[in-house]
Amino acid sequence: MSTSITTTRPPVAVQVGDEPPAREFGPVTRSDIVRFAGAGGDFNPLHHDPAFAAKAGFADVIAMGQFQAGLLAGWLTDWCGVEHVRELEVRFRAPVQLGTVLRLHGEVVELTEEDGERLARLELRATAGDTAVVRAAALVRRR
């Protein structure tokens, strides 16, 4: 069974080198982590038990990688529309501590066409200062 999404929102008009408007999130709170754990069902004690996190070498609990990936995906779809995302590949690079401010940003690196559809390839990042905590690649429909 095939499902088609109909929308009146046009695909993004972009060129190589364009950057979607960056977004900041944070500082990450214990409540952010707990809410995401409940929504996503990730109850690893690294994310809610400070003593367990300390035994693993962390100062306190850390956010789950899917939390940062979800923020990045939400930022991307706010910009281009979920109906225009064709691929999203995510790689986790570093843990995120409580109090971290994340910057979500990216760049159009290639314009292409596949199966008659005009596409843009983007490199995306969630960073904490100079540290990339998530790197991603996306393929989105373009005008």
Side-chain angles (χ1 to χ4, degrees), residues 6 12 16 20 33 44 47 61-62 65 78-79 85 87 89 101 109 113-115 117 119 127-129 134 139 142:
T6 304
V12 292
V16 171
I33 295 170
N44 181 319
H47 309 308
V61 298
I62 59 172
D78 285 351
W79 173 69
V85 174
E87 295 177 15
E89 180 181 320
V101 175
V109 295
E113 191 170 316
E114 292 180 21
D115 299 324
E117 192 170 48
L119 302 169
T127 55
V134 173
L139 195 59
R142 66 177 174 93

Side-chain angles (χ1 to χ4, degrees), residues 78-99:
D78 285 351
W79 173 69
C80 71
V82 66
E83 65 276 18
H84 299 303
V85 174
R86 298 300 180 256
E87 295 177 15
L88 179 61
E89 180 181 320
V90 177
R91 296 200 182 264
F92 306 108
R93 309 294 295 173
V96 170
Q97 308 285 328
L98 291 175

Side-chain angles (χ1 to χ4, degrees), residues 63-73 87-96 102-105 121-128 131-138:
M64 53 289 288
Q66 289 295 336
F67 176 73
Q68 292 86 254
L71 291 173
L72 199 60
E87 295 177 15
L88 179 61
E89 180 181 320
V90 177
R91 296 200 182 264
F92 306 108
R93 309 294 295 173
V96 170
L102 297 170
R103 184 167 188 264
L104 312 172
H105 49 116
R121 186 168 308 280
L122 291 93
E123 290 181 359
L124 311 173
R125 295 169 303 287
T127 55
T131 302
V133 296
V134 173
R135 289 195 177 274

Side-chain angles (χ1 to χ4, degrees), residues 17-73:
D18 286 355
E19 297 180 1
R23 178 182 293 169
E24 284 196 352
F25 177 89
V28 174
T29 66
R30 193 174 306 275
S31 293
D32 293 328
I33 295 170
V34 169
R35 285 185 188 121
F36 193 85
D42 185 348
F43 298 107
N44 181 319
L46 276 176
H47 309 308
H48 65 83
D49 184 338
F52 186 90
K55 286 180 185 174
F58 297 104
D60 203 337
V61 298
I62 59 172
M64 53 289 288
Q66 289 295 336
F67 176 73
Q68 292 86 254
L71 291 173
L72 199 60

